[in-house]
Amino acid sequence: MKANCIDILLILLVVLSVACKQKPVEQVSINGGNAVVEEEFDPYIEGNRRILALENEEIDLVVKRHHWNMMETGTGLRYQILEPGNGHLFVEGDSVAFNYTISLLSGKEVYNSETDGVKTFRVEKSEEIPALHELAKLVSPGTKVRAIVPSHLA
């Protein structure tokens, strides 16, 4: 009986030591090495970084395959002006109405304005996907544009 208690205590001790194990810490140098910030390694964050990198590669391949001359914003939104519009760029509060065709990277069409109607929203004042607000502020009325929206902006 005493041996069983010792075995159980040893097993509990091992389980607790494994469960309480500290996460690995990654050191990141900032300001040319003047400061060091410790950041815990999170496998979910690392997984998301890898997924975003793969998605970015896939988008690059689509752009290259179709020979599209696209610009890329700091957020990863890619766009190409097909026909320039007239006037000022849209700003916060402007009402924007547009026709659209939404396709997957594979080319399969999933939505369009012929079936679902013209889309209307107010820049930075409505709950549309972030990419629409960002794209609207890059174009003027009448612009025809092609855009590729990464998943984190959709």
Side-chain angles (χ1 to χ4, degrees), residues 61-140:
L61 288 172
V62 169
V63 169
K64 187 176 181 178
R65 180 175 358 138
H66 292 290
H67 305 288
W68 291 337
N69 184 22
M70 302 190 101
M71 293 176 275
E72 183 175 355
T73 68
T75 63
L77 174 68
R78 289 171 179 81
Y79 70 100
Q80 178 180 8
I81 305 294
L82 302 174
E83 293 176 21
N86 303 333
H88 72 285
L89 300 179
F90 289 107
V91 295
E92 182 177 334
D94 283 349
S95 183
V96 179
F98 63 96
N99 292 306
Y100 59 91
T101 300
I102 299 175
S103 304
L104 302 176
L105 287 177
S106 66
K108 179 183 177 190
E109 187 177 304
V110 289
Y111 304 107
N112 66 56
S113 54
E114 284 185 25
T115 304
D116 302 321
V118 172
K119 183 76 173 163
T120 303
F121 73 102
R122 291 188 57 193
V123 178
E124 301 294 342
K125 300 288 185 183
S126 61
E127 296 195 15
E128 299 299 330
I129 64 170
L132 278 183
H133 297 283
E134 183 178 358
L135 187 59
K137 293 186 288 183
L138 297 169
V139 299
S140 56

Side-chain angles (χ1 to χ4, degrees), residues 5 8 12 28 39 41-44 48 59 61 64 97 100 112 123 126 132 147 149 152:
C5 286
I8 291 172
L12 281 174
V28 179
E39 180 182 293
F41 175 79
D42 187 333
Y44 297 109
N48 282 336
I59 291 171
L61 288 172
K64 187 176 181 178
Y100 59 91
N112 66 56
V123 178
S126 61
L132 278 183
V149 178
H152 66 277

Side-chain angles (χ1 to χ4, degrees), residues 9-90:
L9 285 174
L10 285 174
I11 291 172
L12 281 174
L13 186 60
V14 170
V15 168
L16 287 175
S17 68
V18 171
C20 295
K21 187 173 123 180
Q22 207 173 15
K23 292 181 179 179
V25 174
E26 180 180 303
Q27 292 188 347
V28 179
S29 176
I30 298 176
N31 294 332
N34 296 336
V36 174
V37 176
E38 291 187 359
E39 180 182 293
E40 286 189 23
F41 175 79
D42 187 333
Y44 297 109
I45 291 174
E46 188 57 34
N48 282 336
R49 285 183 182 142
R50 289 182 182 158
I51 290 169
L52 288 174
L54 289 172
E55 180 183 53
N56 194 45
E57 285 179 31
E58 187 176 0
I59 291 171
D60 287 342
L61 288 172
V62 169
V63 169
K64 187 176 181 178
R65 180 175 358 138
H66 292 290
H67 305 288
W68 291 337
N69 184 22
M70 302 190 101
M71 293 176 275
E72 183 175 355
T73 68
T75 63
L77 174 68
R78 289 171 179 81
Y79 70 100
Q80 178 180 8
I81 305 294
L82 302 174
E83 293 176 21
N86 303 333
H88 72 285
L89 300 179
F90 289 107

